[in-house]
Amino acid sequence: MRTGIATVCLSGTLKEKMQACAIAGFDGIEIFEQDLVTSPHSPEDVRKMAADLGLGLDLYQPFRDFDGVTPELLKANLRRAEAKFKLMSRLGMDTILVCSNVATATIDDDELRAAQLTELAELAGDHGVKVAYEALAWGKYVNDYEHAYRLVEMVDHPNLGTCLDSFHILSRDWDTAPIENINADKIFFVQVADAPKLSMDVLSWSRHYRVFPGEGQFDLAKFMGHVVRAGYTGPVSLEVFNDVFRQSDTERTAVDAMRSLIWLEEQSAKWLASSPTETETAAGNGSASRRRYPMELATLPKVNEPAGFNFAEVKADDTVQLEKLLGQLGFGFDGRHRTKDVQLWTMGQARVIINEQAASHSEPAIAALGFDVDSPVIASARAQQLKAPVVARKVQADEEVFQGISAPDSTEIFLCQGSPDGTAAWTHEFGEGLEHSAAQQNAVIDHVNLAQPWQHFDEAVLFYTSALALEPQPFAEVPSPSGLVRSQVMETSNGAVRLVLNLAPAQQAQEKARKTYQEHIAFAVDDLVATARSARDRGLEFLQIPANYYEDLDARFDLDPGFLATLKELNLLYDRDANGEFLHFYTATVGSVFFEMVERRGNYDGYGAPNAPVRHAVQYDSLHRV
């Protein structure tokens, strides 16, 4: 699949954008007109730069408001078009995007539109240019891709074809199956963009909230599957308008964009294989083969979703408070590593590493997560093909070799060899620890909550989806004293791995000295009340829950008075749904880390979301209390 990206997707100058696209591995680019107009480089310079970088110049865009106009305006539009065709010759480009008219069209007549597009196609032919006509979702008279294609058929000129844009099609919920009926020779260009499902006018939605494939909620694999079946072989190019992307690091955004196309290519191949046509089914093939189509779709090494958390790692300079907190929760100290300055603390199958290496002057923070996978080497190879940076750690000859990659927020992700009994082979590398209490509960890591920088939130969703096979759930917004916190759950199908990505309020980024939103690790136990009583006896400082919460809890659930009194006594929070119950409590924060202990009863599958505003408010109050 030939990959492309529109320069409008990225921040920076045209030169910086082109360099970033080349580094990320794109085959070609669309030049957005404004990027060229504002560039100090001549068209000839841009052409040479592209050649030196190994980038094709695939599309010049956009040419707006051409069709459905009066004769006088048509004459001006043709003059404007000829100027662009001459410019494209200097750039060495042969395809231009022409959008359906949204502003100046005054005549709703397909015969007239076809006649005017014919004049444009003939003029383009004189200059060796192909015109890709695109139906904008908010076009005044033409807003449907099938309508646009009918006009192309009416014109029947070799220099006029259509452009299929996933956003303009999927935002209007148009059926994508008819794409297969379009003559492949008339599909001049394909643009893709994802987006969250929002209730707003389509123009604002398009201009501000598009994201890269895999970061939204559109069924792009199905869209691309129909495009492939139509016989299209040209570029598949990203056209994403997003305020955040255009404020972020250019090279990093380009890499994220390339990752999204690699992921989309694989997902499209899977869709084709799982959705055979009636003809293929009748022939007894059972599945569609990607080799039957002119466009070859590459796939990645196949991996299963993680089986569970292997460990969580917290890095700190001063570890005294962390050690105290884990001990109060009931974790046992399992010794220091024989060659590294790290400690191991365990409770059942929940393993926490405290890392003191290269942590000078740093407060405690979550630094790494380990996941159990079937084949760490294959999983790592897949992640690297998805442009994930490799993280290497020095090991001795007889020590476990972890396959490591870096997440968008710089959390290190290690892919570990899982075991049927949930143990970890590397624990034997640690020296003798302290004897565990006979009363220690069994525990596992239930979920991990990571705060995401505003400019990398969407990137993180795609990273965990593509590299770790986690499935994004519908996002939620939780109120806090600092504003709304967007929360995105990523999890495996069986809930063995649950990762919660939180986009903190905007002002947090400005409060570097006083962080208002933290990260945490949650551990699941069988008996939370017993765990809480034991932790209290060891001197644990619980997050203090206000009495008003328990009054509201009683009103909502009509709990047994004795049970409610226990919750209040131990600062436990409670939630219930049709499937079960959820009990949990939080510790105080050390650095940017706190811990949560949970108990899931029945088939409760949530995270106590109604209690999140309480936690945010109490933490905010604790942070700002003088």
Side-chain angles (χ1 to χ4, degrees):
M1 185 176 86
R2 180 178 173 82
T3 59
I5 184 172
T7 55
V8 73
C9 300
L10 306 172
S11 65
T13 65
L14 179 58
K15 181 178 180 179
E16 291 170 339
K17 295 179 183 194
M18 293 175 68
Q19 291 172 336
C21 292
I23 291 171
F26 282 95
D27 296 314
I29 60 172
E30 305 173 36
I31 290 188
F32 199 72
E33 186 169 67
Q34 186 177 7
D35 285 323
L36 180 66
V37 170
T38 59
S39 174
H41 301 285
S42 70
E44 290 78 12
D45 290 338
V46 172
R47 180 176 185 170
K48 183 178 185 306
M49 196 186 327
D52 291 343
L53 292 170
L55 288 173
L57 298 179
D58 295 335
L59 185 75
Y60 188 82
Q61 67 123 327
F63 191 84
R64 302 186 187 278
D65 299 325
F66 174 81
D67 54 314
V69 297
T70 63
E72 295 77 13
L73 189 52
L74 174 64
K75 183 178 179 181
N77 287 345
L78 289 170
R79 177 184 175 278
R80 181 163 55 97
E82 185 169 27
K84 298 305 176 185
F85 296 159
K86 291 178 180 178
L87 173 65
M88 291 171 62
S89 177
R90 296 171 64 193
L91 286 163
M93 303 181 73
D94 65 0
T95 307
I96 188 171
L97 180 71
V98 174
C99 307
S100 61
N101 202 323
V102 300
T104 64
T106 55
I107 308 168
D108 186 10
D109 182 339
D110 275 358
E111 294 291 342
L112 174 69
R113 271 188 287 272
Q116 293 180 343
L117 287 171
T118 298
E119 290 193 56
L120 180 66
E122 290 175 349
L123 179 63
D126 292 340
H127 292 272
V129 170
K130 296 188 299 182
V131 174
Y133 183 64
E134 174 186 53
L136 297 183
W138 53 91
K140 189 170 182 179
Y141 299 125
V142 180
N143 55 31
D144 178 349
Y145 78 96
E146 291 184 88
H147 188 181
Y149 179 57
R150 287 197 299 271
L151 291 169
V152 169
E153 286 188 306
M154 289 173 66
V155 172
D156 191 23
H157 193 286
N159 290 79
L160 181 70
T162 191
C163 172
L164 299 176
D165 183 309
S166 67
F167 182 87
H168 294 299
I169 295 171
L170 299 178
S171 64
R172 297 292 299 267
D173 290 324
W174 302 128
D175 182 10
T176 55
I179 289 174
E180 296 186 24
N181 300 323
I182 298 177
N183 180 352
D185 292 337
K186 287 298 183 181
I187 304 176
F188 283 1
F189 210 76
V190 170
Q191 296 174 320
V192 290
D194 209 338
K197 292 293 182 68
L198 300 173
S199 297
M200 63 189 308
D201 72 275
V202 70
L203 177 57
S204 298
W205 188 12
S206 173
R207 286 290 176 258
H208 303 284
Y209 297 101
R210 295 195 197 192
V211 288
F212 295 132
E215 299 175 356
Q217 296 170 281
F218 285 164
D219 192 348
L220 291 179
K222 180 180 178 182
F223 167 82
M224 276 303 305
H226 291 311
V227 169
V228 172
R229 278 191 183 146
Y232 177 71
T233 58
V236 177
S237 186
L238 297 164
E239 188 194 41
V240 172
F241 300 88
N242 186 292
D243 298 339
V244 172
F245 294 174
R246 286 182 281 188
Q247 298 177 62
S248 304
D249 179 79
T250 311
E251 289 187 13
R252 181 164 179 168
T253 304
V255 169
D256 182 35
M258 190 65 208
R259 178 186 298 124
S260 76
L261 283 184
I262 295 170
W263 175 87
L264 177 59
E265 188 171 5
E266 179 190 49
Q267 297 304 304
S268 302
K270 287 182 178 179
W271 185 88
L272 283 168
S274 63
S275 306
T277 64
E278 292 182 7
T279 301
E280 290 163 343
T281 301
N285 293 344
S287 65
S289 170
R290 64 189 177 93
R291 299 185 184 280
R292 299 191 53 174
Y293 304 108
M295 181 186 289
E296 286 285 330
L297 297 177
T299 56
L300 300 167
K302 294 182 179 179
V303 296
N304 295 325
E305 60 186 17
F309 285 99
N310 189 282
F311 67 87
E313 178 183 301
V314 180
K315 181 174 285 191
D317 182 16
D318 183 352
T319 66
V320 173
Q321 289 301 313
L322 274 177
E323 295 172 34
K324 179 181 178 182
L325 197 56
L326 289 171
Q328 290 171 334
L329 285 172
F331 278 75
F333 174 63
D334 276 5
R336 288 183 170 274
H337 195 274
R338 61 192 182 208
T339 63
K340 301 177 179 67
D341 199 9
V342 299
Q343 308 172 32
L344 174 62
W345 291 73
T346 65
M347 180 191 290
Q349 293 180 354
R351 292 176 285 271
V352 177
I353 293 174
I354 298 180
N355 188 344
E356 302 169 75
Q357 297 184 106
S360 179
H361 308 298
S362 64
E363 292 187 330
I366 296 175
L369 298 173
F371 296 93
D372 288 332
V373 297
D374 288 339
S375 175
V377 173
I378 293 177
S380 177
R382 173 186 173 87
Q384 290 178 50
Q385 288 187 44
L386 286 159
K387 306 291 184 177
V390 175
V391 172
R393 286 192 171 178
K394 293 182 179 179
V395 294
Q396 301 294 330
D398 57 346
E399 294 176 355
E400 188 84 4
V401 177
F402 287 160
Q403 300 292 326
I405 54 177
S406 181
D409 66 349
S410 298
T411 300
E412 295 179 349
I413 303 298
F414 290 98
L415 306 168
C416 311
Q417 185 65 61
S419 61
D421 59 0
T423 59
W426 53 265
T427 57
H428 76 275
E429 299 171 12
F430 287 76
E432 185 176 349
L434 300 177
E435 185 176 349
H436 288 214
S437 168
Q440 186 191 58
Q441 287 214 48
N442 182 42
V444 296
I445 296 177
D446 184 85
H447 63 274
V448 177
N449 184 304
L450 299 175
Q452 300 299 302
W454 63 270
Q455 67 272 42
H456 302 314
F457 186 84
D458 294 314
E459 180 185 357
V461 172
L462 175 60
F463 172 85
Y464 287 109
T465 298
S466 61
L468 260 69
L470 300 183
E471 286 293 328
Q473 307 304 306
F475 71 85
E477 291 183 331
V478 178
S480 82
S482 300
L484 287 178
V485 176
R486 182 178 177 183
S487 183
Q488 174 72 69
V489 173
M490 312 287 299
E491 62 183 28
T492 55
S493 58
N494 62 359
V497 170
R498 306 168 189 261
L499 199 61
V500 184
L501 308 178
N502 282 346
L503 178 62
Q507 60 261 46
Q508 177 186 313
Q510 302 170 6
E511 296 188 22
K512 296 180 181 178
R514 302 174 66 188
K515 197 173 183 182
T516 61
Y517 190 76
Q518 300 88 29
E519 302 178 323
H520 73 271
I521 305 167
F523 307 100
V525 295
D526 297 327
D527 188 340
L528 188 74
V529 172
T531 299
R533 291 193 188 281
S534 297
R536 184 185 60 182
D537 293 342
R538 298 187 194 98
L540 178 69
E541 180 185 350
F542 293 78
L543 197 67
Q544 297 296 301
I545 307 303
N548 292 339
Y549 166 78
Y550 295 100
E551 289 188 19
D552 178 69
L553 200 63
D554 188 33
R556 287 191 291 132
F557 294 116
D558 190 22
L559 298 174
D560 176 81
F563 180 58
L564 183 64
T566 298
L567 296 177
K568 187 174 182 180
E569 171 198 357
L570 297 171
N571 285 282
L572 305 185
L573 297 100
Y574 176 87
D575 189 32
R576 183 172 71 204
D577 62 17
N579 300 313
E581 299 173 290
F582 187 66
L583 282 73
H584 57 139
F585 71 79
Y586 301 102
T587 71
T589 302
V590 178
S592 64
V593 180
F594 63 94
F595 299 110
E596 178 184 10
M597 305 297 290
V598 311
E599 178 188 344
R600 296 179 181 274
R601 296 178 175 178
N603 294 316
Y604 183 95
D605 196 40
Y607 301 83
N611 300 327
V614 178
R615 190 253 296 175
H616 284 295
V618 176
Q619 288 178 327
Y620 181 90
D621 183 61
S622 299
L623 184 69
H624 291 79
R625 188 183 304 131
V626 178

